[in-house]
């Protein structure tokens, strides 16, 4: 993957990158967007403002450097990146642009420390990672039968209020077949704003595959002290039945096994319930006898989305165990407070797959509690509604 001559430079630069990584990627984005303003339509500029995207690219560079020879550790990270890249439409010809500005930023930030051999080593490392990603992405587009960046016009069938801040949008292709997908996958929705800029955001499909329409559920990001979320606020304010939405092919590697007979556990919080509902609805369709623990935490009853889906699944699934936590109120049958592992029914930790989705602090808390309770990491699966900080590699 990388030559013997370059390896010592890569190994030696890992601590340096850890120290300067965030500055390097911030400098990189500034110079790349100055030279290629059209790429702003591809990137999530909300993540740019809040700094998460810079953090994530820095993390990817560190992770790659730290694990350069370790394909097993890099595998899941690469998988997540290529699905995200395919969803937003990254092409092979984008890579030299990113490479040029990333190496330029390393050079600017490291100054004299960026020696010729060190830069050469990083060029080689970048090229080899780019090759890996390009090949995987080409394959993914071919399998999906789409061109990079292709979106389809979807006719909105209905918009249903799911909670105080979540709407569910159901849609179907204006023409042709519904694209195939699996529970847990997401689409990118493209919004073209009046001033000509375009933004893409990912939304998990929130209903089971195998129907004649698809559904997403969008939380309005109010922002509080910050500006409201650009795309979610726009969707809430504008989308109505009959409209057309531009939607990517479904991608994503968070794939709860909905087809097996084994017991399974879903733990979600907030709008993280969306991929879990897709999985639950699928299981209710194909295997209603399955043993399922479905635990969800919401701020209060007003913020608790998809209660109708859960009730419908409960009516069909005799072995579905639903546990609900509300932080601020506690209606009958609801536990008050945050989700805690010791308040859930127990399950054989070693053999049961657990799927997690929710805000990062929620997932970190559950992940650590599950590991401490004896669940092997290989049985834990998570979806992150933002750039994954790749902390498992750092
Ligand atoms: C795989 C995946 C699946 C997802 N599934 C879902 C889903 O099912 N449902 C769902 O609702 N979302 C989902 N998301 C999240 C979704 O993609 C968007 O990130 C979300 O809707 C916010 O986008 P936005 O354009 O509204 O906000 P953005 O404009 O991107 O802003 C992001 C946040 O930053 C805040 N912000 C804005 N300006 C500033 C500033 N100056 N300083 C600090 N903060 C600021 C905003 O208030 C907002 O909270 C998913 C994401 C991923 C990656
Ligand atoms: C070796 C090169 C690259 C690496 C290591 C890399 C790494 C990453 C990582 C870690 C993420 C976040 C994944 C997540 O959601 O957890 C990401 C997302 C993304 N990448 Fe890349 N990437 C590379 C090349 C590129 C190129 C060439 C482009 C195109 C110009 C690009 C554009 C994007 C975009 C648009 C996103 C989605 C995030 C957002 O919406 O802002 N990347 N990449």
């Amino acid at each position: 993957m990388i030559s013997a001559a370059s390896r010592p430079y890569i190994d030696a630069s890992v601590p340096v990158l850890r120290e300067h990584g965030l500055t390097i990627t911030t400098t990189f984005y500034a110079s790349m967007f100055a030279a290629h303003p059209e790429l702003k339509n591809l990137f999530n500029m909300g993540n740019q403002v809040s700094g998460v995207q810079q953090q994530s690219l820095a993390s990817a560079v560190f992770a790659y450097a730290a694990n350069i020879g370790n394909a097993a550790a890099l595998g899941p990270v690469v998988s997540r990146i290529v699905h995200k890249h395919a969803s937003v439409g990254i092409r092979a010809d984008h890579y030299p642009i990113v490479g040029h500005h990333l190496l330029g930023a390393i050079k600017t930030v490291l100054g004299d420390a960026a020696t010729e051999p060190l830069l050469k080593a990083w060029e080689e490392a970048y090229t080899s990672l780019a090759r890996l990603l390009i090949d995987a992405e080409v394959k993914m587009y071919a399998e999906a039968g789409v061109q990079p960046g292709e979106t389809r016009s979807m006719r909105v069938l209905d918009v249903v209020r799911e909670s105080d801040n979540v709407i569910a949008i159901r849609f179907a292709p204006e023409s042709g077949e519904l694209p195939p997908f699996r529970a847990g996958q997401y689409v990118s929705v493209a919004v073209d704003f009046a001033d000509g800029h375009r933004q893409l955001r990912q939304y998990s499909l929130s209903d089971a595959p195998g129907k004649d329409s698809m559904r997403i559920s969008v939380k309005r990001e109010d922002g509080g002290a910050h500006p409201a979320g650009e795309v979610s606020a726009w969707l809430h304010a504008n989308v109505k039945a009959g409209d057309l939405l531009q939607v990517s092919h479904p991608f994503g590697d968070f794939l709860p096994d909905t087809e097996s007979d084994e017991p399974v556990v879903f733990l979600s919080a907030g709008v993280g319930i969306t991929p879990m509902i897709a999985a639950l609805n699928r299981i209710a369709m194909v295997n209603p006898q399955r043993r399922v623990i479905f635990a969800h935490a919401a701020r209060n009853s007003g913020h608790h989305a998809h209660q109708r889906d859960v009730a419908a699944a409960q009516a069909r699934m005799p072995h579905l165990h639903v546990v609900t936590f509300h932080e601020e109120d506690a209606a009958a049958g609801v536990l008050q407070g945050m989700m805690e592992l010791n308040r859930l029914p127990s399950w054989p930790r070693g053999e049961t797959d657990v799927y997690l989705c929710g805000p990062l602090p929620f997932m970190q808390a559950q992940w650590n509690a599950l590991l401490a309770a004896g669940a092997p990491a290989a049985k834990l699966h998570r979806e992150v509604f933002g750039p994954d900080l790749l902390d498992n590699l750092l």
Side-chain angles (χ1 to χ4, degrees):
M1 214 171 169
I2 187 116
S3 69
S6 291
R7 178 167 291 270
Y9 291 99
I10 297 292
D11 289 345
S13 59
V14 171
V16 189
L17 282 172
R18 280 197 199 283
E19 198 187 327
H20 295 286
L22 194 53
T23 324
I24 289 169
T25 46
T26 310
T27 312
F28 149 71
Y29 277 118
S31 79
M32 185 173 75
F33 289 144
H36 292 276
E38 74 283 0
L39 290 181
K40 288 185 182 175
N41 282 352
L42 211 52
F43 282 85
N44 176 334
M45 297 311 284
N47 286 347
Q48 293 292 319
V49 172
S50 66
V52 240
Q53 186 57 38
Q54 283 94 322
Q55 180 62 48
S56 184
L57 205 135
S59 303
V61 176
F62 295 158
Y64 185 53
N67 293 277
I68 193 121
N70 184 355
L74 270 181
V77 178
V78 167
S79 165
R80 184 174 163 97
I81 297 173
V82 299
H83 278 274
K84 185 66 99 55
H85 279 177
S87 174
V88 295
I90 303 307
R91 302 189 307 259
D93 62 293
H94 287 134
Y95 281 84
I97 302 174
V98 165
H100 173 76
H101 290 279
L102 191 58
L103 285 165
I106 292 177
K107 199 170 167 185
T108 306
V109 171
L110 295 188
D112 290 344
T115 60
E116 208 45 46
L118 183 126
L119 289 173
K120 274 229 134 1
W122 270 101
E123 191 182 341
E124 191 186 325
Y126 176 81
T127 307
S128 102
L129 182 56
R131 195 68 263 157
L132 192 81
L133 297 179
I134 291 168
D135 289 348
E137 286 155 19
V138 164
K139 203 166 151 225
M140 200 162 286
Y141 291 127
E143 276 168 11
V146 294
Q147 293 301 316
E150 183 179 323
T151 56
R152 280 179 76 183
S153 289
M154 296 283 179
R155 181 74 65 190
V156 175
L157 304 176
D158 58 37
V159 179
V160 173
R161 176 148 298 281
E162 273 297 335
S163 76
D164 291 352
N165 59 5
V166 174
I167 52 168
I169 306 172
R170 185 173 287 286
F171 49 81
E174 202 188 7
S175 60
E177 297 281 298
L178 202 67
F181 69 94
R182 286 173 63 184
Q185 292 194 302
Y186 55 82
V187 289
S188 285
V189 174
V191 174
D192 291 297
F193 291 92
D195 66 0
H197 83 286
R198 163 178 270 224
Q199 281 285 275
L200 294 157
R201 294 292 183 272
Q202 291 70 50
Y203 294 101
S204 298
L205 292 159
S206 65
D207 201 359
K211 301 189 174 178
D212 54 9
S213 62
M214 305 161 94
R215 181 177 72 173
I216 57 171
S217 304
V218 179
K219 177 188 166 202
R220 190 185 60 243
E221 295 290 345
D222 283 325
H226 307 297
E230 194 174 22
V231 171
S232 64
W234 189 92
L235 292 170
H236 272 253
N238 293 286
V239 175
K240 50 186 189 325
D243 287 354
L244 287 177
L245 276 183
Q246 290 303 315
V247 176
S248 77
H249 189 85
F251 289 104
D253 65 349
F254 177 71
L255 300 171
D257 185 352
T258 52
E259 315 301 300
S260 103
D261 290 333
E262 296 299 318
V264 63
V265 177
F266 297 105
L267 307 181
S268 61
V271 76
I273 196 168
T274 54
M276 309 310 196
I277 292 292
L280 185 66
N281 287 354
R282 174 72 186 171
I283 295 170
M285 270 168 80
V286 297
N287 192 357
Q289 294 299 322
R290 192 166 172 193
R291 287 190 183 282
V292 176
I293 296 176
F294 189 95
H296 178 66
R299 195 192 306 164
N300 53 42
S301 48
H303 278 70
H304 186 163
H306 289 299
Q307 296 185 44
R308 284 177 296 254
D309 287 85
V310 175
Q314 273 178 307
R316 285 179 59 85
M317 297 174 63
H319 306 298
L320 168 63
H321 195 137
V322 174
V323 191
T324 305
F325 295 82
H326 286 170
E327 210 176 315
E328 293 170 357
D329 60 18
V334 171
L335 299 172
Q336 185 165 18
M338 313 285 267
M339 186 184 292
E340 286 169 48
L341 198 53
N342 61 15
R343 297 172 81 191
L344 299 178
S346 68
W347 63 82
R349 304 283 187 219
E351 297 123 54
T352 311
D353 282 302
V354 182
Y355 296 91
L356 295 138
C357 187
L360 270 181
F362 165 84
M363 280 201 284
Q364 271 150 359
Q366 303 310 324
W367 191 274
N368 292 337
L370 285 159
L371 290 179
K379 286 289 184 191
L380 307 182
H381 317 273
R382 68 179 179 199
E383 179 63 292
V384 182
F385 280 3
D388 194 335
L389 299 182
L390 312 170
D391 48 342
N392 50 334
L393 276 184
L394 297 180

